[in-house]
Amino acid sequence: MENLTQYLDKSLIPLEDKVKEYLNVERDIRLLDVELLSLQSIKSDFNPEQHDLEQDMQEGTAHTDLNDKEQKMTALLEKYNKLRTELINMLPEKNRFIEINLGYGPSMVGYFTIDHETRQPLQEPVLRVVH
């Protein structure tokens, strides 16, 4: 019989922590994306009659929420890509899932270099987390 508690192995804790961090950054990116879309829709309704705001924008002195959020998105995307690379380097094998414990039972993480449907090589590894 197969060992069904393999995902409880203590040696997997660093990998589990990295996956949790990766998933948290992924969630933050999705939430920030919604905020950016909301702010962009507000900005498209800009009223040019508001002279002070318009003048500030022309002078470049206004640091709007939109610009701050875009900068935060850039930082989150950089962190996301860095974590993705670190996770790929931490995984012992390619094209195979590893069972891990994310706190609610067995989950799986793996990176794949071959498309599982077409069996064709992928241009870059794809990280998959099943939780």
Side-chain angles (χ1 to χ4, degrees), residues 102-117:
L102 297 179
Y104 39 83
S107 299
M108 297 184 297
V109 63
Y111 77 98
F112 299 85
T113 58
I114 297 173
D115 186 311
H116 70 281
E117 293 177 356

Side-chain angles (χ1 to χ4, degrees), residues 4-23 87 90-92 96-110 127-131:
L4 299 177
T5 60
Q6 176 184 0
Y7 72 98
L8 296 174
D9 185 356
K10 299 286 186 205
S11 68
L12 295 174
I13 290 176
L15 178 63
E16 293 165 358
D17 291 342
K18 190 66 72 175
V19 170
K20 288 176 187 175
E21 185 179 359
Y22 175 82
L23 291 173
L87 275 169
M90 290 176 79
L91 291 166
R96 181 173 172 263
F97 278 113
I98 304 295
E99 285 190 355
I100 58 174
N101 182 13
L102 297 179
Y104 39 83
S107 299
M108 297 184 297
V109 63
L127 181 65
R128 293 192 178 120
V129 180
V130 179
H131 61 102

Side-chain angles (χ1 to χ4, degrees), residues 2-126:
E2 176 179 352
N3 182 359
L4 299 177
T5 60
Q6 176 184 0
Y7 72 98
L8 296 174
D9 185 356
K10 299 286 186 205
S11 68
L12 295 174
I13 290 176
L15 178 63
E16 293 165 358
D17 291 342
K18 190 66 72 175
V19 170
K20 288 176 187 175
E21 185 179 359
Y22 175 82
L23 291 173
N24 286 334
V25 170
E26 185 178 61
R27 183 201 68 230
D28 292 345
I29 287 171
R30 279 184 276 153
L31 292 173
L32 187 57
D33 194 33
V34 170
E35 284 184 54
L36 279 168
L37 290 172
S38 297
L39 285 171
Q40 287 172 347
S41 69
I42 291 169
K43 189 175 180 180
S44 68
D45 296 332
F46 176 70
N47 182 359
E49 300 298 321
Q50 295 176 339
H51 177 69
D52 292 341
L53 182 57
E54 184 178 286
Q55 186 176 359
D56 287 346
M57 289 179 74
Q58 287 176 351
E59 294 172 0
T61 57
H63 295 285
T64 65
D65 285 342
L66 183 60
N67 288 336
D68 293 341
K69 302 277 186 205
E70 287 173 339
Q71 290 173 359
K72 186 175 180 183
M73 178 63 85
T74 301
L76 279 173
L77 288 172
E78 288 174 5
K79 184 175 182 179
Y80 182 76
N81 288 327
K82 180 180 177 230
L83 287 169
R84 179 183 168 276
T85 302
E86 289 174 7
L87 275 169
I88 288 172
N89 291 333
M90 290 176 79
L91 291 166
E93 295 181 49
K94 62 182 177 180
N95 300 318
R96 181 173 172 263
F97 278 113
I98 304 295
E99 285 190 355
I100 58 174
N101 182 13
L102 297 179
Y104 39 83
S107 299
M108 297 184 297
V109 63
Y111 77 98
F112 299 85
T113 58
I114 297 173
D115 186 311
H116 70 281
E117 293 177 356
T118 63
R119 299 289 178 210
Q120 297 297 317
L122 298 169
Q123 292 183 0
E124 64 179 54
V126 174

